[in-house]
Amino acid sequence: MSLASMTGFSRLEGGHDTLTWTLEMRSVNGRGLDIKYRFPAGFEAVERLGRDLAKSRFQRGQVNLTISVGSAAAKTGVTLNEDVLEFYLEASRALIDAGEAVTPSVDGLLGLRGVIEATGDERAELTAEAETVLAADLAALFDRLKEARESEGQALEAILKGHLITMAACVERAKGLADQQVEAIRERFTRRLDELLPDAQDFQERVLQEAALLATKADVREELDRLTSHLDQAHQLIEGEAAPGRKLDFLAQEFMREANTLCSKSAFIELTQTGLELKAVIDQFREQTQNVE
């Protein structure tokens, strides 16, 4: 089962009888499934059709559906707005009487804003037959969007798996360094104590206890084991679960929690550098999971 992205675009033109329409749909990231519509009066059926089509295809994402409609049967014309014309005439008379203007021409008056208005029946009627055709076009539009989201999801899958491979390499490197860290802490503690108390033979048992305690606190093997487990879960989600976006995002948070602990427990620079590299990759991984359905 392949991943699907939450982003995509689809467009389709169609029509029936005297009606023509252009359908456009854009999908972006969203926590849940949210559909927004823009359609002309008379096309309210689109909201019901779109809701059902979206729920049967998507689980997450904000989908914007826009419908533009034209009609060959629409009648258009112009009309004279006599109230606006009378307003301009009264204003011109006052200026003419004051000697500040000349009598306006007819062309000039008709060219003034609001004097001539366009009229027409712009409401397109959606008949039962046209609605059936529109429903089929909407289904095709949603299918195209689904294909676009799945196509981008394939690219996302390759990116996410690449990040998981890099993280696994960091974890393996950290495991090797972790084994060295425990012994390095013991040696460092013993050497430092010998420098401060060279004759502290009577404290040898206490020294060993303190060294063991410090080594235990700095042991990162538990964090590395959890990271390995999380990596296995991430692969399983990507390869075998529908709409794993939320779970992958949660796993990314768990990755970061363990990486932070790894860095805080690190006792030498090589392990710290590996932890920081791991955190950088986790950031990239989580950023990409935001696009996964």
Side-chain angles (χ1 to χ4, degrees):
M1 187 175 297
S2 60
L3 292 185
S5 170
M6 286 189 285
T7 61
F9 173 81
S10 61
R11 187 175 188 273
L12 187 147
E13 295 182 355
H16 176 73
D17 198 10
T18 60
L19 283 179
T20 59
W21 49 69
T22 300
L23 314 177
E24 284 191 359
M25 193 153 46
R26 291 175 171 80
S27 175
V28 296
N29 300 351
R31 291 189 175 184
L33 181 58
D34 183 25
I35 312 172
K36 300 183 183 299
Y37 305 88
R38 291 183 62 187
F39 51 79
F43 279 70
E44 287 74 16
V46 168
E47 190 168 353
R48 169 180 50 82
L49 294 170
R51 181 178 60 251
D52 295 339
L53 290 168
K55 286 183 177 180
S56 65
R57 288 163 174 80
F58 311 127
Q59 296 190 40
R60 296 176 66 201
Q62 180 176 306
V63 180
N64 295 277
L65 173 59
T66 301
I67 299 182
S68 303
V69 179
S71 175
K75 298 179 180 179
T76 59
V78 296
T79 185
L80 178 66
N81 191 322
E82 296 182 1
D83 292 335
V84 175
L85 177 60
E86 184 60 31
F87 171 80
Y88 285 129
L89 287 173
E90 286 295 331
S92 63
R93 289 192 192 102
L95 294 173
I96 293 169
D97 293 342
E100 298 178 4
V102 296
T103 303
S105 65
V106 174
D107 290 344
L109 286 171
L110 294 180
L112 293 172
R113 184 176 180 179
V115 175
I116 299 297
E117 296 179 338
T119 61
D121 182 11
E122 298 180 356
R123 182 185 177 91
E125 182 181 356
L126 185 63
T127 62
E129 293 81 2
E131 182 177 332
T132 300
V133 176
L134 177 61
D137 283 352
L138 281 172
L141 184 75
F142 273 87
D143 286 340
R144 291 184 184 183
L145 180 64
K146 188 173 187 294
E147 291 173 1
R149 288 170 48 137
E150 289 175 347
S151 177
E152 185 171 338
Q154 292 177 2
L156 275 176
E157 181 173 341
I159 293 171
L160 290 173
K161 286 183 175 179
H163 290 326
L164 291 176
I165 291 172
T166 304
M167 281 189 268
C170 289
V171 170
E172 289 303 313
R173 192 188 320 148
K175 286 181 179 179
L177 294 170
D179 293 337
Q180 301 174 29
Q181 172 163 275
V182 174
E183 185 60 31
I185 290 173
R186 290 195 184 99
E187 291 179 359
R188 185 185 306 170
F189 181 82
T190 303
R191 183 173 62 254
R192 185 60 176 161
L193 192 63
D194 287 341
E195 292 173 357
L196 295 173
L197 299 171
D199 299 325
Q201 296 298 325
D202 296 339
F203 299 100
Q204 191 63 33
E205 184 177 350
R206 181 61 176 172
V207 168
L208 293 175
Q209 292 177 355
E210 291 296 330
L213 180 61
L214 287 174
T216 301
K217 289 182 178 180
D219 188 359
V220 295
R221 285 175 293 187
E222 184 176 345
E223 286 75 19
L224 293 173
D225 287 343
R226 282 197 292 266
L227 281 168
T228 300
S229 175
H230 294 337
L231 286 168
D232 291 339
Q233 292 178 48
H235 279 292
Q236 292 172 10
L237 287 173
I238 290 174
E239 295 172 357
E241 183 162 333
R246 286 194 182 92
K247 292 182 179 180
L248 286 173
D249 184 57
F250 173 76
L251 268 183
Q253 296 178 51
E254 294 302 303
F255 280 139
M256 188 59 73
R257 190 193 316 278
E258 303 300 341
N260 284 331
T261 305
L262 174 67
C263 289
S264 67
K265 285 186 174 182
S266 174
F268 61 109
I269 189 63
E270 290 84 357
L271 185 57
T272 300
Q273 289 175 339
T274 300
L276 292 175
E277 181 182 343
L278 179 61
K279 289 178 63 175
V281 181
I282 293 170
D283 271 334
Q284 296 171 3
F285 178 84
R286 186 178 184 186
E287 183 177 351
Q288 293 298 335
T289 63
Q290 306 300 309
N291 300 317
V292 179
E293 183 178 8

